[in-house]
């Protein structure tokens, strides 16, 4: 099982490969705001743990295991962003909030979040009812 830090790298590598077709150490370092030497160390660890294949100066590719984990991590991140939008979290807070919580939820909790998102999306009236409650609560706080 990857650590939260490993998950961040796998997720970022997966997204870079999906977007650009490749992921270089410098791209990963820039995306995660870390030093390239830190990326190299982590990439070597991920290679050892069989999430990717890394060849110095030649780049890296995700193994089937790495692709599977990467896809699931991107899904988790996007699902949590979706939930926070539905419940009305300010857009400016969503990314940081997801980064703060995504590693602390079990996959069972993520599955239930998926059920909740589906519940709201299947009937727009449910979202409207939530907005009405939020508006009422905000009005009560200001009076």
């Amino acid at each position: 099982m990857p650590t939260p830090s490993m998950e961040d790298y796998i997720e970022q590598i997966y997204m870079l490969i999906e977007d650009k077709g490749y992921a270089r150490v410098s791209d990963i370092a820039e995306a995660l705001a870390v030093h390239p030497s830190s990326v190299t160390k982590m990439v070597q660890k991920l290679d050892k743990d069989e999430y990717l294949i890394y060849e110095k100066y030649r780049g890296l590719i995700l193994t089937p295991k790495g692709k599977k984990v990467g896809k699931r991590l991107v899904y988790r991140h996007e699902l949590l962003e979706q939930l926070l939008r539905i419940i009305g979290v300010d857009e400016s807070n969503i990314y940081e909030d997801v980064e703060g919580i995504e590693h602390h939820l079990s996959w069972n909790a993520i599955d239930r979040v998926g059920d909740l998102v589906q519940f709201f999306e299947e009937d727009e009236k449910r979202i409207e009812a939530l907005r009405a409650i939020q508006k009422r609560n905000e009005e009560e706080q200001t009076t």
Side-chain angles (χ1 to χ4, degrees), residues 7 15 22 24 27 33 38 42 44 53 63 72 87 89 94 99 113 119 126 134:
E7 286 182 346
M15 290 189 308
Y22 60 90
R24 298 178 306 195
D27 298 325
S38 298
M42 180 58 81
Q44 290 168 341
I53 298 168
T63 62
R72 189 153 189 197
I87 64 173
V89 173
I94 289 178
E99 285 297 309
V113 167
F119 173 80
R126 294 170 181 156
Q134 290 170 332

Side-chain angles (χ1 to χ4, degrees), residues 9 21 51 54-56 58 80 85 88-89 91 95 113 117:
Y9 278 85
Y51 290 103
Y54 173 66
E55 294 181 20
K56 195 173 185 179
R58 299 205 51 194
L80 290 170
R85 280 189 188 95
V89 173
E91 194 66 36
Y95 182 81
V113 167
V117 167

Side-chain angles (χ1 to χ4, degrees), residues 19-141:
D19 292 346
K20 298 170 83 173
Y22 60 90
R24 298 178 306 195
V25 167
S26 59
D27 298 325
I28 300 164
E30 183 181 332
L32 294 174
V34 298
H35 291 287
S37 60
S38 298
V39 175
T40 300
K41 286 178 189 170
M42 180 58 81
V43 165
Q44 290 168 341
K45 180 166 179 39
L46 293 171
D47 181 44
K48 180 178 170 274
D49 291 349
E50 300 179 347
Y51 290 103
L52 55 81
I53 298 168
Y54 173 66
E55 294 181 20
K56 195 173 185 179
Y57 307 117
R58 299 205 51 194
L60 55 94
I61 58 168
L62 289 170
T63 62
K65 174 182 171 180
K67 285 179 188 175
K68 181 179 178 183
V69 171
K71 185 175 185 175
R72 189 153 189 197
L73 295 171
V74 169
Y75 165 77
R76 176 182 72 186
H77 190 101
E78 291 173 350
L79 182 67
L80 290 170
E81 283 187 354
Q82 203 174 356
L83 174 68
L84 296 183
R85 280 189 188 95
I86 287 171
I87 64 173
V89 173
D90 290 338
E91 194 66 36
S92 62
N93 295 331
I94 289 178
Y95 182 81
E96 288 298 319
D97 287 347
V98 169
E99 285 297 309
I101 64 174
E102 67 183 337
H103 301 294
H104 301 285
L105 295 175
S106 67
W107 285 104
N108 178 254
I110 295 298
D111 290 342
R112 299 301 65 84
V113 167
D115 296 341
L116 186 60
V117 167
Q118 181 180 351
F119 173 80
F120 278 111
E121 289 184 337
E122 283 182 352
D123 188 346
E124 186 68 28
K125 289 182 176 151
R126 294 170 181 156
I127 295 175
E128 291 169 11
L130 176 62
R131 296 288 180 262
I133 290 168
Q134 290 170 332
K135 184 177 180 183
R136 187 175 68 233
N137 288 342
E138 286 175 8
E139 288 171 356
E140 289 175 4
Q141 289 176 353

